[in-house]
Amino acid sequence: MGAYQIIGGRPLEGAVQIHGAKNSVLPVLAATIVGGGEYTIHNCPEISDVDTALDILRVLGCTAERDGARVCVDTSAAENREIPEELMKKMRAAILFLGALLARFGTATISAPGGCVLGERPINLHLLGLRLMGADYEYDRETLRCRASTLRGCTVALPFPSVGATENLILAALACEGEVTICNAAKEPEIADLIGFLRACGAKIAGTGTSVLQIVGGAALHGTEYGVMPDRMEAATYLAAAAATRGRLVLQGANPAHLQAVIEILERGGCEIAQQQDEIIVRCDRLRAVSPIVTAPYDGFPTDAQAPVMAAMATAEGVSVFEETIFSDRFRHVPALRAMGARIYATERHAVVTGVRRLHGASVEATDLRGGAAMVIAALSAEGESRITKTEHMERGYASFAQALRSCGAQIESI
Ligand code: EPZ
């Protein structure tokens, strides 16, 4: 079990390179299964979730090699094997192999995916769409067996714009006879990135960036070379860290267009943020509270930025109210922030944060990826020493986290 030892109280100052997006590269790696072929993916972050995706590809009989930020995959010889439970349990995105295997082989057997514990994370919307395409399934909450003699074109109207369901349905639709229309599709930039990759492989997909996607099934897919977009949640985390520590950071390689909801909240809180095409410069004195901060599907305020921004608001002047509308249990970081002196009152969906002048160090345990990042941010802004255990949560999604923070003046050690 890893830990970070942090001595807080120093403003972060310097430049951070934003890596490729975790939530883009994972669906892209699953998608390499659909057509078979050789793929080179650039800008792959060196995080454990990518390692898990590569392990899944190897279990399926593919070759998968990493050379720094470049990953080469050959899925030509993929076989339809069951993905071991221990790999499925490591991350939520493992569920995307369902749509990919179904598209390639017409059947898929997988166990329930793991990932961050954020409350109920059902897959009913994935299954609803697959059934409309003609797939049958048996799901006993442990193992899902899915098969389709033919996948057919249809219209799927999602009751909620689920990111994972949209991605899984796009992948399955690639093998449909006819056209699939997904209404109320998720509009997160990572979906557009997946579509960009698939189009580079020869897929015919219209509606990128909108809530109505049209996929023409049956196009011949081939291998390709593709660079994934920058990670907007990594960038949001560093923006919050700069705000919390009253520092100045340059985020190199970030795309500000993907971060408007976060930037707007921080600017309202008094941060000065300069946006260039692929760079964001943030500078902040003591934040002012902003309220309400309501999470929503893109282009609303992202649920993944809720915990990091809450850590920054913990020392803002005034009271901010957070409303979490996406996940039912995404305030699991609150007890740790309170242990550091934050004044937060939380119910299931709301958190009221009364800013204090300073937090103090404490020993806490990371609960999940973004919750753990929030604890790191709080510790960086706090007086004294903190110890944050279970850093494997952060290693799932932040490449060289401690190293990047250290290069900007943070006193943080991985132990
Ligand atoms: C993706 O998760 C991201 N993960 C999450 O990022 C992110 O928080 C989330 O989208 C929302 O933006 C990846 O891309 C790998 P959803 P996903 O399906 O696909 C409900 C991070 O920190 N729902 O949009 O699992 C669900 O319970 C991670 O990087 C159903 O009810 O999110 C939740 O309340 C964590 N039935 C809501 O929709 C379904 O079939 C949003 O889930 C599917 C989802």
Side-chain angles (χ1 to χ4, degrees):
M1 188 174 73
Y4 291 144
Q5 196 88 33
I6 298 174
I7 299 173
R10 289 190 178 187
L12 287 178
E13 294 200 355
V16 175
Q17 181 65 42
I18 300 303
H19 300 87
K22 165 179 87 77
N23 291 345
S24 275
V25 75
L26 298 177
V28 161
L29 288 173
T32 62
I33 287 287
V34 180
E38 290 178 24
Y39 300 85
T40 303
I41 312 298
H42 299 280
N43 211 19
C44 261
E46 294 192 51
I47 54 176
S48 62
D49 272 9
V50 168
D51 295 335
T52 303
L54 299 181
D55 284 343
I56 292 176
L57 287 169
R58 290 183 194 114
V59 163
L60 294 171
C62 311
T63 59
E65 305 294 338
R66 173 196 272 290
D67 178 11
R70 191 179 58 152
V71 162
C72 298
V73 171
D74 187 346
T75 59
S76 314
E79 289 175 23
N80 192 10
R81 301 187 189 140
E82 190 172 336
I83 301 169
E85 198 183 334
E86 68 266 22
L87 288 177
M88 287 300 298
K89 289 275 174 267
K90 281 190 175 175
M91 63 173 187
R92 176 74 184 178
I95 189 67
L96 301 176
F97 284 90
L98 170 65
L101 288 170
L102 196 63
R104 173 93 176 250
F105 299 108
T107 66
T109 302
I110 59 167
S111 53
C116 289
V117 178
L118 312 171
E120 275 288 292
R121 299 184 77 178
I123 55 167
N124 57 318
L125 303 179
H126 304 232
L127 297 176
L128 166 111
L130 295 178
R131 178 159 273 174
L132 286 168
M133 291 178 198
D136 284 326
Y137 61 83
E138 291 162 29
Y139 187 29
D140 60 11
R141 298 268 151 198
E142 291 294 322
T143 306
L144 172 65
R145 290 186 178 79
C146 202
R147 72 180 56 79
S149 46
T150 325
L151 287 166
R152 55 173 184 262
C154 62
T155 296
V156 182
L158 288 173
F160 178 85
S162 154
V163 173
T166 301
E167 292 166 343
N168 239 336
L169 297 179
I170 292 172
L171 297 184
L174 295 168
C176 280
E177 286 179 2
E179 190 172 304
V180 172
T181 303
I182 306 175
C183 301
N184 200 24
K187 292 187 290 183
E188 270 67 4
E190 292 79 8
I191 306 268
D193 211 23
L194 172 64
I195 293 174
F197 166 76
L198 291 170
R199 289 172 71 162
C201 299
K204 296 196 175 86
I205 305 177
T208 306
T210 76
S211 56
V212 181
L213 299 175
Q214 283 160 310
I215 303 110
V216 180
L221 301 182
H222 48 75
T224 193
E225 202 161 321
Y226 192 75
V228 297
M229 61 174 252
D231 196 312
R232 63 194 171 101
M233 290 313 144
E234 186 189 27
T237 301
Y238 287 115
L239 286 176
T245 60
R246 301 167 197 179
R248 183 185 183 282
L249 285 182
V250 180
L251 308 186
Q252 294 166 339
N255 182 346
H258 294 159
L259 283 154
Q260 287 307 302
V262 177
I263 289 174
E264 192 215 315
I265 293 289
L266 294 177
E267 282 184 335
R268 280 170 54 200
C271 290
E272 284 172 35
I273 301 180
Q275 308 175 43
Q276 279 142 33
Q277 202 184 343
D278 59 358
E279 192 170 276
I280 304 175
I281 303 169
V282 55
R283 178 201 167 101
C284 204
D285 292 325
R286 189 179 181 195
L287 265 183
R288 289 189 300 275
V290 178
S291 205
I293 299 175
V294 184
T295 64
Y298 192 78
D299 50 3
F301 186 84
T303 174
D304 293 347
Q306 176 256 108
V309 170
M310 189 182 293
M313 287 298 169
T315 50
E317 200 179 330
V319 178
S320 43
V321 177
F322 287 75
E323 185 181 355
E324 172 58 56
T325 73
I326 305 295
F327 289 106
S328 60
D329 190 14
R330 211 170 193 183
F331 290 142
R332 291 160 59 90
H333 49 281
V334 166
L337 299 187
R338 287 170 64 144
M340 294 181 189
R343 284 180 59 199
I344 305 176
Y345 171 77
T347 61
E348 189 182 296
R349 295 285 188 173
H350 294 88
V352 181
V353 183
T354 305
V356 296
R357 192 150 272 285
R358 276 269 178 223
L359 299 177
H360 55 76
S363 284
V364 294
E365 185 177 289
T367 46
D368 59 273
L369 170 59
R370 309 300 169 190
M375 293 172 207
V376 170
I377 292 170
L380 291 172
S381 77
E383 253 168 32
E385 193 169 318
S386 295
R387 186 185 169 90
I388 303 171
T389 54
K390 291 218 173 160
T391 50
E392 47 275 20
H393 285 296
M394 286 76 108
E395 283 156 16
R396 288 188 46 214
Y398 294 97
S400 329
F401 198 26
Q403 201 182 321
L405 292 168
R406 231 180 355 257
S407 74
C408 299
Q411 283 186 276
I412 174 169
E413 294 300 330
S414 291
I415 49 175

